[in-house]
Amino acid sequence: MMTVHEVSRLAGVSIRTLQYYDRIGLLHPAGYTDAGYRLYDDTDLERLQHILLFRELEFPLKDIKAIINSPDFDRSKALEQQIELLKLKKEHIENLMNFALGIKMLGVKQMDFKAFDRSKLDEYSRRAKELYGNMPEYKEMQEKTKNRTEEDDRILADRFMLFFKEAGEIKDTDPASPEAQDIVKRIQEYITENLYTCSNKILSGLGKMYSGDGEFTKNIDEYGGEGTAEFVDKAIQIYCDKAE
């Protein structure tokens, strides 16, 4: 585990930025010290790498959050896209450098503006975003969240986590019980109301992500106690199976 100061030095990101990422739900720490300082594990650092790569490629934070929180987010595919975009960005910068050197050598008479052509980079970036942006759920989420403030997002996130606190209180019971199934139903309704239409297919994918031993699992277990994420996943799968 690394402290926020260590992550800040390692990644070249300010502590204030890391705190902001936590506040908006983009990068939550795996835990906290007794004094309340943030602690990050390898999963958090891997997520931070993706965030910083997307930031280098000029993706807005809201888009990054939607992409990496998507149940369909594929880390390997995202990395391939980021590599391709970075190659195009490198080519673009090299063209600009050559253009600037040409001006220095020849003066302002060099009137070739091809170096400023970002069409390839912009087109690939557009296609990469469309992988997620074309999803109706993504578009619906953009529409529902466009006028929200940071405080709105924080309040909604806090309310959402209360479902897991409630689930933690019954995590030692049967996930097929009416109480557990009611929590799942309310989770689905909450997501649909505040983010996007949460179909049973999406809900099932979210459940698997919740119990996948990553950042989501740790955050959920922190609220509800160890085993809560796994319990919620089981309850979700039972709920979705019954609906088929």
Side-chain angles (χ1 to χ4, degrees), residues 105-157:
M105 295 294 293
L106 304 175
V108 294
K109 293 180 181 179
Q110 181 172 325
M111 301 300 290
D112 182 5
F113 286 86
K114 290 180 182 177
F116 294 97
D117 182 6
R118 290 177 52 95
S119 59
K120 284 197 295 184
L121 179 61
D122 290 342
E123 172 62 17
Y124 193 89
S125 179
R126 182 187 65 78
R127 285 190 279 117
K129 289 180 183 180
E130 281 182 353
L131 177 67
Y132 302 94
N134 276 337
M135 296 169 58
E137 295 83 10
Y138 179 86
K139 292 178 179 178
E140 185 181 357
M141 183 169 66
Q142 281 191 313
E143 182 64 27
K144 286 184 176 180
T145 61
K146 64 182 180 181
N147 295 320
R148 286 183 193 159
T149 65
E150 288 179 34
E151 182 63 14
D152 292 333
D153 286 339
R154 187 189 64 77
I155 291 172
L156 285 169

Side-chain angles (χ1 to χ4, degrees), residues 41-100:
D41 63 9
D42 290 343
T43 301
D44 300 326
L45 295 178
E46 182 181 348
R47 185 179 175 95
L48 179 59
Q49 286 174 339
H50 281 293
I51 292 169
L52 296 180
L53 281 170
F54 277 125
R55 288 299 288 155
E56 284 294 326
L57 295 166
E58 301 173 24
F59 280 52
L61 286 177
K62 184 165 279 191
D63 286 351
I64 298 173
K65 180 180 175 182
I67 288 171
I68 64 179
N69 283 346
S70 167
D72 295 320
F73 179 60
D74 186 323
R75 293 180 185 275
S76 297
K77 186 177 290 185
L79 188 58
E80 290 174 7
Q81 292 173 339
Q82 289 164 340
I83 291 170
E84 186 62 31
L85 281 166
L86 288 168
K87 285 179 181 177
L88 291 172
K89 187 171 184 179
K90 177 175 177 285
E91 178 184 330
H92 179 66
I93 291 173
E94 287 174 346
N95 289 338
L96 287 175
M97 188 181 298
N98 290 334
F99 181 76

Side-chain angles (χ1 to χ4, degrees), residues 176-209:
S177 70
E179 294 79 11
Q181 293 300 293
D182 179 64
I183 292 173
V184 172
K185 183 174 182 291
R186 285 185 283 124
I187 286 174
Q188 185 179 41
E189 290 173 346
Y190 191 85
I191 294 172
T192 296
E193 181 181 354
N194 295 289
L195 293 173
Y196 50 77
T197 302
C198 184
S199 66
N200 288 336
K201 180 180 178 181
I202 290 177
L203 182 63
S204 176
L206 288 172
K208 292 172 184 175
M209 186 168 64

